[in-house]
Amino acid sequence: MSSTHIAIRDRATDAGGLYSPAKEKANNRGVYGVRSPLLRRRVRQLIGGPRVKLLLSLCIISFFVLFSSRIGTFKGWNPHASSSASSPRGYTVLINTWKRNSLLTQSVAHYASCSGTDAIHVVWSESDPPSNSLKAYLKKIVLKKSHTASKPNFKFDLNEEDNLKNRFKPIEDLRTDAIFSVDDDVIVPCHTLDFAFTVWQSAPLTMVGFVPRMHWLDQEKNGIVYYKYGGWWSVWWMGSYSMILSKASFFHRKYLELYTYKMPSSIHDYITTERKCEDIAMSLLVANATDAPPIWVKGKIYEIGSSGISRLKGHSNRRNKCLNDFVSLYGTMPLVPTNIKAVDAGHEWFW
């Protein structure tokens, strides 16, 4: 074979008179050498391209990040570590209830099991105070369900009258800035709740939660602007929202003070008389204070009660009226629309 190579090289040199490295490379393939198929060369060129190399690098990095989130720590980083690590006190769960002790029991048991829960307060507005047996039973459940060394505080916040404003009354002896306001029939999984808490920590002056709503300009008549209130399907269709309902949301403790003592008395009177829309009032209050939109957190929540008032006939018209009446009382429309959604990439394949 070596003699064949020499003979070919000699012929190439003799034929042209000059030595060419290209000719030598071609000749060195020997009598059995053939060029690679066209498809193989194209694949090699594609794989060797800078864009493909960048894409492959990103895929490898993403794989390691995702893999580390599945198995635990990766060089000291644990994406599923409790969000309370950066805030020793975590959050206070504020449960609004009304004559549904069985749902209240389920709700207290669940939120006591969440590692970020520092305290659980139950807003009690019934004419009769909770029985001693109920209080003792719920305290026992909190101790049993909690998995943290420091057990959550548990307390009933008793009110002398049945009024919707009770759910936003200031709370004494709070140890956290974060308040998670929730209805007694709404269950948010602990990992989803902890993620929402981390989102709130990045923007602690806004509302962060799971139930978005929207508004849009309806018409202008005689110099007065009228708005429409949009429920979930409007949010889904338009891809925008401007409110987060307080049935499952985080907000700063200072808004309890502002709602009770600084919100216009005319709005308090309206809510007391009409017995509705305290959640819209809270959204307007926060937006008016911050001039910023709320943050919707993507996450599965479970409503364990019966169908809510949102499915009753005429609900949309009543919400429209509340929104426009509040805007009139404020003298402006403080809500700020947005289309931003917070997603926990550690629990989502597509985000």
Side-chain angles (χ1 to χ4, degrees):
M1 179 65 72
S2 60
S3 61
T4 303
H5 288 176
I6 295 173
I8 293 174
R9 179 173 178 177
D10 290 343
R11 287 196 299 269
T13 304
D14 294 342
L18 295 174
Y19 169 70
S20 169
K23 289 181 180 180
E24 180 184 10
K25 183 177 181 181
N27 292 334
N28 282 343
R29 293 192 180 99
V31 294
Y32 301 106
V34 294
R35 292 183 179 272
S36 302
L38 178 61
L39 178 60
R40 186 181 302 173
R41 295 202 310 275
R42 293 278 176 85
V43 171
R44 287 176 178 175
Q45 292 173 357
L46 178 62
I47 295 177
R51 292 183 180 179
V52 175
K53 290 181 178 179
L54 176 61
L55 179 61
L56 289 175
S57 299
L58 292 175
C59 289
I60 292 172
I61 293 172
S62 299
F63 169 78
F64 278 110
V65 171
L66 181 62
F67 182 69
S68 67
S69 70
R70 295 289 185 251
I71 64 173
T73 58
F74 178 69
K75 291 188 176 181
W77 175 59
N78 185 355
H80 296 298
S82 172
S83 56
S84 59
S86 59
S87 178
R89 293 298 185 186
Y91 45 82
T92 296
V93 179
L94 185 61
I95 304 175
N96 190 58
T97 189
W98 175 256
K99 295 186 177 181
R100 300 193 292 189
N101 290 350
S102 61
L103 295 182
L104 175 62
T105 300
Q106 295 180 61
S107 185
V108 169
H110 170 70
Y111 291 111
S113 69
C114 297
S115 60
T117 300
D118 175 75
I120 300 175
H121 284 250
V122 177
V123 180
W124 188 272
S125 299
E126 298 179 25
S127 56
D128 296 326
S131 65
N132 291 331
S133 60
L134 177 63
K135 290 191 289 186
Y137 181 63
L138 292 181
K139 288 182 178 179
K140 182 178 179 180
I141 284 181
V142 170
L143 295 176
K144 179 180 179 181
K145 294 295 183 178
S146 175
H147 303 298
T148 58
S150 178
K151 304 300 181 182
N153 288 340
F154 177 78
K155 184 180 179 181
F156 279 93
D157 295 332
L158 306 182
N159 297 280
E160 296 180 355
E161 61 177 345
D162 175 22
N163 194 309
L164 291 177
K165 68 182 181 182
N166 292 340
R167 74 178 302 164
F168 299 131
K169 279 186 175 181
I171 302 174
E172 295 181 359
D173 302 325
L174 273 180
R175 300 188 300 184
T176 70
D177 287 334
I179 302 291
F180 180 64
S181 173
V182 65
D183 287 351
D184 58 6
D185 63 344
V186 176
I187 298 295
V188 181
C190 292
H191 67 83
T192 303
L193 185 61
D194 283 345
F195 172 68
F197 178 50
T198 64
V199 175
W200 177 85
Q201 287 178 304
S202 70
L205 297 184
T206 193
M207 291 186 74
V208 174
F210 302 94
V211 187
R213 296 293 184 263
M214 69 173 297
H215 79 283
W216 67 88
L217 180 63
D218 182 25
Q219 61 178 327
E220 184 174 352
K221 184 185 296 184
N222 299 325
I224 301 176
V225 178
Y226 294 92
Y227 298 91
K228 283 279 191 179
Y229 173 91
W232 161 245
W233 289 112
S234 298
V235 173
W236 178 84
W237 180 257
M238 301 296 290
S240 176
Y241 66 96
S242 56
M243 291 172 273
I244 293 293
L245 298 189
S246 55
K247 67 185 295 180
S249 67
F250 280 98
F251 53 79
H252 197 282
R253 60 186 291 181
K254 76 174 187 176
Y255 292 121
L256 298 177
E257 299 277 347
L258 292 178
Y259 188 97
T260 301
Y261 301 117
K262 299 297 183 180
M263 192 169 69
S265 59
S266 55
I267 295 182
H268 280 295
D269 295 339
Y270 184 99
I271 294 171
T272 300
T273 302
E274 300 294 331
R275 294 187 59 79
K276 59 187 177 185
C277 300
E278 81 287 355
D279 50 354
I280 295 180
M282 177 57 89
S283 287
L284 288 166
L285 174 78
V286 176
N288 189 62
T290 62
D291 194 29
I295 300 176
W296 171 25
V297 176
K298 180 181 178 182
K300 181 68 175 177
I301 66 175
Y302 302 90
E303 298 194 42
I304 58 178
S306 57
S307 299
I309 60 174
S310 62
R311 298 182 182 180
L312 298 178
K313 185 178 181 180
H315 175 74
S316 181
N317 291 333
R318 289 190 291 271
R319 303 288 272 185
N320 287 337
K321 186 177 186 303
C322 283
L323 179 61
N324 284 289
D325 288 344
F326 289 162
V327 170
S328 177
L329 293 172
Y330 263 105
T332 185
M333 166 52 82
L335 296 176
V336 180
T338 182
N339 55 11
I340 294 176
K341 179 169 61 175
V343 179
D344 184 359
H347 288 85
E348 295 286 340
W349 289 106
F350 301 99
W351 49 282

